[in-house]
Amino acid sequence: STSGTIRIENALAEEGEVYLTIPADGTGQVQMTIQGRHRTVNALSEDGTELPTGTQVVVTDTTDEGVILVRAIKSIDGGTK
C-alpha cells in the first residue's frame, strides 16, 4: 500500500516553475510534480538570487524542514535543454 506522504528528497533534480516570487533572502514557492503529484512547495534560492514568478528552476537540494533549494535553469541555446 502506498502512503500519501511526499518525500521531499524525491524532488531533487526535478524541474518546476516559481509560483510565488522567491526573494533573495527569503522563501517563495515553486509548483512542480513530485511522485506524480502536482505540488506547491516552499523554496529558497540556492545562490541568493531573486527568482520571480514564472522562472523555470531545478531543485538542487532539500532541507530537513521540507524546503527545496532551487536555481534558475539557464537556457543557453534558445530553450532546449
Side-chain angles (χ1 to χ4, degrees):
S1 69
T2 58
S3 77
T5 305
I6 294 291
R7 295 175 62 85
I8 197 69
E9 56 269 29
N10 290 333
L12 274 175
E14 294 288 341
E15 295 177 7
E17 183 176 309
V18 177
Y19 172 67
L20 189 66
T21 294
I22 302 170
D25 58 355
T27 306
Q29 291 184 326
V30 169
Q31 288 188 329
M32 60 184 307
T33 301
I34 308 172
Q35 294 174 214
R37 298 182 191 185
H38 197 65
R39 308 282 294 189
T40 303
V41 188
N42 289 332
L44 291 164
S45 172
E46 177 191 59
D47 58 4
T49 305
E50 178 179 303
L51 300 171
T53 297
T55 304
Q56 296 296 313
V57 294
V58 61
V59 179
T60 59
D61 204 357
T62 62
T63 72
D64 293 339
E65 291 78 36
V67 177
I68 58 173
L69 271 64
V70 298
R71 64 175 166 81
I73 298 169
K74 305 284 193 287
S75 52
I76 297 156
D77 52 10
T80 55
K81 289 185 216 133

